[in-house]
Amino acid sequence: MVSSGSSLEDKRRAENFPVALRILPAALRRDLGAVYDVARVVDDIGDESTGDRTAELTRFQQDLVRAWDGEPEEPVLRRLVPTIRARGLEREPFDRLVRANLADQRISRYATQADLEAYCELSADPVGRIVLRIFGVRSPEAERLSDLVCTALQLIEHCQDVAEDRRNGRIYLPQEDLETFRAREKDLDAASANVAVRRTVAAQARKALAKLDEGRALVGLLHGWARLAIAGYIAGGLATVDALRRAGWDPLTATPRPRKRDVLIHLVTLLARGGRR
């Protein structure tokens, strides 16, 4: 069952969806929100549907084609059509998002960092590409840096959501890292993280932060609302790493949440320095 408009609004607020900030013009909020809603519905089908998730995702993927060539059936895709036309969006990034959720139905572990980042190329990087298009940015270098940022943000979210992912039967910490730090899968079921799990999470967060530090140069390539919005995404990631660090790299006792003050500090710094360290 595809989420209703009202429940999608609730999820936007619950997740502090950055583009919902009133500071952005209404047209940008509408178009970014339309993209978010599609991504959210795809994730909801892949994570929460009580039916045949693979079949439902495949049907959604087929309906997605009609958003470019015909008239889609799903309300969330019908709401996306004006954004596609106004911003000249391509179908391929949306298709990758569906493929990522199809992969989730078959794959619950990733052996290496390279395997995990290949998954992020499907689940995270397309979002950045779409956002750049909405802001009218078409630059190979901007896309390269956006991919770094989006992969980093996905890796950080994986660190943040270890407990939730484990409850859903998935582990997004590479098996090679678990082995390196002698962490066992059953350690992820504990009420709090032991030393091995903390070291594994810390190592993964450092890898993500290295990508984010390189990708932050994207801010210096952008102007206007695009610069502000992208800096906001990066600031949120940096503040989440701060939250993980404050928690001692323990995502099991409670989900580490970024503080608004930290997000604002990082945002101001990014804008003042144009993404430079």
Side-chain angles (χ1 to χ4, degrees):
M1 178 67 69
V2 173
S3 301
S4 68
S6 59
S7 63
L8 286 169
E9 286 292 340
D10 292 341
K11 289 186 177 184
R12 286 192 205 176
R13 288 192 292 269
E15 297 179 13
N16 295 316
F17 187 50
V19 299
L21 295 174
R22 292 181 179 179
I23 194 171
L24 292 176
L28 283 173
R29 292 202 312 273
R30 180 196 64 227
D31 290 340
L32 289 165
V35 169
Y36 169 86
D37 289 349
V38 171
R40 182 70 266 168
V41 164
V42 172
D43 283 348
D44 285 351
I45 295 171
D47 291 341
E48 300 176 7
S49 174
T50 57
D52 184 333
R53 296 176 182 179
T54 296
E56 290 184 30
L57 286 166
T58 300
R59 283 195 294 272
F60 191 90
Q61 190 175 39
Q62 294 167 346
D63 201 27
L64 182 65
V65 174
R66 289 189 281 271
W68 278 263
D69 184 19
E71 184 175 347
E73 297 176 1
E74 293 290 353
V76 72
L77 291 176
R78 290 201 295 271
R79 292 195 296 271
L80 179 67
V81 169
T83 298
I84 291 171
R85 294 172 178 170
R87 307 291 180 175
L89 300 185
E90 299 161 346
R91 194 181 80 212
E92 190 270 343
F94 291 92
D95 188 64
R96 277 201 274 167
L97 295 177
V98 179
R99 286 161 53 200
N101 277 270
L102 285 168
D104 279 335
Q105 310 314 308
R106 300 179 289 103
I107 304 169
S108 60
R109 308 287 191 280
Y110 291 88
T112 68
Q113 187 72 25
D115 292 337
L116 180 60
E117 291 181 13
Y119 168 75
C120 293
E121 290 178 8
L122 295 177
S123 65
D125 295 3
V127 175
R129 299 290 185 102
I130 296 166
V131 170
L132 289 179
R133 290 292 183 273
I134 287 177
F135 284 107
V137 178
R138 295 178 179 271
S139 157
E141 179 62 6
E143 290 178 354
R144 183 186 74 84
L145 294 171
S146 174
D147 288 349
L148 285 168
V149 168
C150 290
T151 289
L153 294 178
Q154 181 76 84
L155 296 176
I156 291 167
E157 184 177 346
H158 289 161
C159 292
Q160 185 184 25
D161 293 340
V162 169
E164 178 183 347
D165 291 335
R166 176 64 172 167
R167 288 193 294 270
N168 289 331
R170 299 174 187 148
I171 298 175
Y172 292 110
L173 298 171
Q175 296 294 300
E176 63 182 4
D177 281 5
L178 292 171
E179 292 173 7
T180 295
F181 297 103
R182 299 183 180 180
R184 301 165 299 177
E185 288 194 7
K186 68 179 183 179
D187 293 337
L188 304 180
D189 298 321
S192 61
N194 61 21
V195 172
V197 171
R198 289 171 189 253
R199 288 177 177 171
T200 304
V201 171
Q204 188 63 201
R206 284 192 293 269
K207 294 174 189 177
L209 193 55
K211 288 184 178 294
L212 200 56
D213 282 344
E214 182 179 355
R216 64 194 291 163
L218 176 60
V219 175
L221 300 182
L222 303 175
H223 305 280
W225 295 117
R227 183 183 178 102
L228 178 61
I230 300 303
Y233 286 116
I234 297 172
L238 293 169
T240 302
V241 174
D242 292 340
L244 285 160
R245 187 180 292 109
R246 279 196 310 274
W249 311 110
D250 175 7
L252 302 184
T253 300
T255 301
R257 301 291 184 191
R259 297 185 300 206
K260 292 182 180 179
R261 181 186 68 184
D262 292 339
V263 175
L264 181 59
I265 290 171
H266 285 300
L267 177 60
V268 170
T269 301
L270 284 163
L271 293 174
R273 296 180 181 175
R276 297 185 303 275
R277 289 289 295 165

